[in-house]
Amino acid sequence: MAPPAQSHRSPSPSQPSGKGEVSDLKMQLRQLAGSRAPGTDDSKRELFKKVISYMTIGIDVSSVFSEMVMCSATSDIVLKKMCYLYVGNYARYNPDLSLLTINFLQRDCKDEDPMIRGLALRSLCTLRVANLVEYLVGPLGSGLKDGNSYVRMVAAVGVLKLYHISSSTCMDADFPVTLKHLMLNDPDAQVVANCLCALQEIWSLEATTSEEASREREVLLSKPVIYYLLNRIKEFSEWAQCIVLELVSKYVPTDSNEIFDIMNLLEDRLQHANGAVVLATVKVFLQLTLSLTDTHQQVYERIKAPLLTQVSSGSPEQSYAVLSHLHLLVMRAPILFSTDYKHFYCQYNEPFYVKKLKLEMLTAVANESNTYEIVTELCEYAANVDIPMARESIRAVGKIALQQYDVNAIVDRLLQFLEMEKDYVTAETLVLVKDLLRKYPQWSHDCIAVVGNISSKNVQEPKAKAALIWMLGEYAQDMQDAPYVLESLAENWDDEHSAEVRLHLLTAVLKCFVRRPPETQKALGAALAAGLSDFHQDVHDRALFYYRLLQYKVSVAEGVVNPPKQAVSVFADTQSSEIKDRIFDEFNSLAVVYQKPSYMFTDKEHRGPFAFSEELGNLSIGAESAENIVSAQRVDANDQDLLLSTSEKEESRGPSNNGSAYSAPSYDSSAPLVASHAQSELVSLDQTLPQAPQAIDDLLGLSFAVTPTPAASPPPLRLNAKAVLDPNTFQQKWRQLPVSISQEGSVTPQGVAALTTPQALLRHMQGHFIHCIASGGQAPNFKFFFFAQKAEESSTFLVECIINSSSCKAQIKIKADDQGTSHAFVALFQSALSSFGMS
Amino acid sequence: MAGATSALFILDIKGRCLISRNYRGDVTSAQAEQFFTKLLEKEGDVESQGPVGYDNGVTYMFIQHNNVYLMTASRQNCNAASLILFLHHVVDVFRCYFEELEEESIRDNFVVVYELLDEMMDFGYPQCTDANILSEFIKTDAYRMEVTQRPPMALTNAVSWRSEGIYYSSNEVFLDVVESVNILVNSNGQIIRSDVIGAIKMRTYLSGMPECKLGLNDRVLLEAQGGTTKGKAIDLDDIKFHQCVRLARFDSDRTISFIPPDGSFDLMTYRISTQVKPLIWVEAQVVRHARSRVEIMVKARSQFKERSSANHVEIELPVPCDASNPNVRTSMGRAKYAPEKDALLWKIRSFPGNKEFMLAAELRLPSVTSEEAVSDRKAPIRVKFEIPYFTVSGIQVRFLKIIEKSGYQTLPWVRYLTVAGEYELRLI
């Protein structure tokens, strides 16, 4: 709604400028306020409508606040609605005046018409004025008990609104308990759904601070609740069904019978007319069957038809959303759509964003059997449709070529592109041919013949030009006129604006020189001279470097620019499997559209309900499988875990530091996220490490007088008080070392109580010379990574410790440089851990 | 998780905010406008950007309808597909209320728009988007209303899509079976893709709480009943039903039974992916005499039985974008040059089955062309048509039984119609 801040926007000439009209309105409203004459309501309506229309176009009409409130004594519902709307818009900016409204809203909450009761209650809750919350409790309480379901429905969401204004008031009034009761008993499905939404949000926000809340949050996922909701699923509206299904997808069934029961019950949801319900059901099926490989495959088969229908029959926006999900699925099961590739052929009139996703799908589903058809179709796009589409299509052909074994036909197609003599087609194709040659050098002969015919004058785009120059250098011996082409390029050095191209040119000239010295000498001279005087630092440095190399010894220079190369077998995948799994966990959400997990694009306080419990799931899986043989892959995943938990920790510090809600660091949506992000987190941890020793001194002197310091009663193993380990080394070691001990420890109840701030434990462990390098998790599961070093030698112990605060248990995993002393260390660690909270 | 939406905006074509409903108070309309302005400033039209955008911690999702944009903003990880669908439902509701949704109708009805937005979403969670139900307690003509409004029973009923106490003096049901044919033919004349999207649309004017049962010539059902497959039975690939249909019963014995909503709705949709013969086949020969003229010879043939006839056939023939002075002759219908589409539009009001018509055209080309040759977008030939009393799939409504406790008689009316969907034939 238009806040007053907008009122300075200059209105268009046809619109009233504001001031005069507003004071007129004020006058007229005042006259009507007391009048009981027949027809008053009609004139009030006209005036109210005017006020609202001013408000909508951004004129500040807050000055008529008291008049509006005075006029609100009416039984006319349309008038009331307009008045509520007005009040809701301006109350936040006039907290004093809004006290006036409380009275009439409270009165309306007791009106005999349920519609008015509901509307008044909704307006009351949307005032968002913190000092008025006390007036909310009464009406909300009676609203939740109201005989009419419309009022209860509004009240359920009202509780959530109250919680966001003042969580303590909401909790003190015990509203969540009432909501839970309503959710499990109310005959009206929409009331149940709204209670569920409210409870999900409240419990997950509370769970960060309260044990009980996180237990309650688990209860939402318990068998009785899930079964209760599932049994009523048909009563819910389509949107509420989505919410219930989302909850069900988090449920962990106890055995496979349960899984099949749920799937049988939900089978018919796949035929629902609302695509959102279908997609939510798909998610339930996929998540439930993760542990049953065969069934999981069957599920893929089952969901195929409904999803394909949505692609072709919905709106383009809808197809876009569904295609994003299909892309995720096809990455996990490429064979799935390989016979249905025709569904992803582009229609002429489709918007570009849909076409682009369809091209990605075509690339992903291409295999030996369908490549020919797909590439034929792609070539059609490359030749026919608009330029961006042509470019994307050529890239798609290239990607298919790079992922196939039988590239014979594709290479021919690419070479045909070059003969089309359209600049943008040539440019895209050159880049592709270059990548192709790096992977399949055996094709060089055919490609070079065609590439050699391309005049470098027709290639303008930097990337394409760089690719062409690279090929000229790399295949100098096969291309007759390579030295001369390079020479003319070097002579026109100043015309070349892209540093990337100039860098490539330097290298290519040198490569050419070592193969055909006499012919290239002139080009080399020109290139080096131009390069040395280049204003771009990198170009200058490279020219200088080559110059000195050549001065030193030509054979060394050759070794540098033209070493024997191996063909690239696989180009690096940009996303780790861990990230992909996380996106899969967040199926049916924005994460899939963005192709990155939600923590990368939402602020901490806007993470949804159960986002943390996913984290827990990951943790416990990690704990189980690592007990088995430590496969390289598993350790890798653990590493990722570690990275994530460090960043989680950093974020949780964010809001408390700067207080204001939205200034928490926002993530750049385009950056290559994980790596750089995690790295910067690690660096910041690194910086805090050197301060650790002082903290220890403090603590030793003050609070830990009772605990035995290693000096007082020396255990057989002595640890280095000032141990230092940088996160990268930690990660490396964690990956390399096998688990030497894995056991369960315990934490005292007092310790668990102190765990509300994990920092307390970190300080405590530091007192025992065990340092924390990363921590994360949410109640009840916390995860810590510790390290310690022996006092005498630089032998390191690494610890992963998962503490479950509800059971007071700790899972401890130790990795050590020196396996022999790890038992001594684990004893030390256990005693340190169990003494936590005792001081 | 299904995250909640922060706010919903209705923007005009320039990205200015017409109406906004700030459900959670954490995204202002100024932020939304800022995002949209950035979007509009980017190269290319908004169309090519995709319906989901991200700016400064907020995700925006939008759809366009006529000259307005509907946009949601959210800070949480929302359910993208469901929100986009929700926006489309909002559009449907507005269209029910204001006939057409456009800037003008929003401005004229902003009070109702606010009311509707409040009922369709509460604190960012979608609530009720059924226009039939909403219209029972939010009236456009509220100004003349005397009786106090009550929340409709339907919001609280087990049958949420139908209110009790509906009465019509004559009870009627209209069934429309509409199939839309999507086809893609490549330049060699091969069909590379074809499917049929069908829908059974219903308009009900029935009193009380009628129980309906619909019988189709569904192969699975007919075979289950003992295989008396007289005539043609059909395989429906992927069926979706309106929420009123008892899905469990369909699953167990393929009966389509339901209590219909009042008014019009889509009872079911289905898809059939078997190969379809192109109903109207178009062949074109283009001879291009560079820098002088282009000659186009077109042959259109209807490939269905004589007793059917296609209406409102419109064949869009792409021509070079720099062509001019068309000279067209046709053996049937009229052809018009539409420079804005770079196409000739050949319209034939009635195209009987098994007939062939011709078109010959000649267009001038400029004698001077710019050096940078304009990339010739080879658009496909596109065809639109409607064939009444005919379905490609052969689907048939065998019966529609309506039982209501008051025992009134009803007469169901059934119509069949086949239309062209995405019907594209690529030029040679």
Side-chain angles (χ1 to χ4, degrees), chain A residues 294 455 667 779:
Chain A
D294 289 349
S455 158
Y667 303 98

Side-chain angles (χ1 to χ4, degrees), chain A residues 37-105:
Chain A
T40 317
D41 277 355
D42 287 341
S43 24
K44 273 188 189 169
R45 268 188 187 155
E46 283 312 308
L47 286 176
F48 273 35
K49 224 183 144 185
K50 247 185 212 163
V51 173
I52 302 284
S53 79
Y54 286 180
M55 184 182 93
T56 308
I57 58 178
I59 293 172
D60 186 2
V61 280
S62 56
S63 55
V64 297
F65 202 100
S66 45
E67 283 76 13
M68 287 289 282
V69 174
M70 272 193 271
C71 286
S72 61
T74 169
S75 57
D76 185 294
I77 195 155
V78 179
L79 267 183
K80 274 197 192 297
K81 276 190 187 174
M82 286 198 270
C83 192
Y84 295 154
L85 187 67
Y86 174 85
V87 167
N89 201 19
Y90 284 110
R92 238 175 319 158
Y93 308 102
N94 303 292
D96 302 334
L97 282 174
S98 44
L99 200 58
L100 283 173
T101 62
I102 291 287
N103 198 13
F104 91 84
L105 283 176

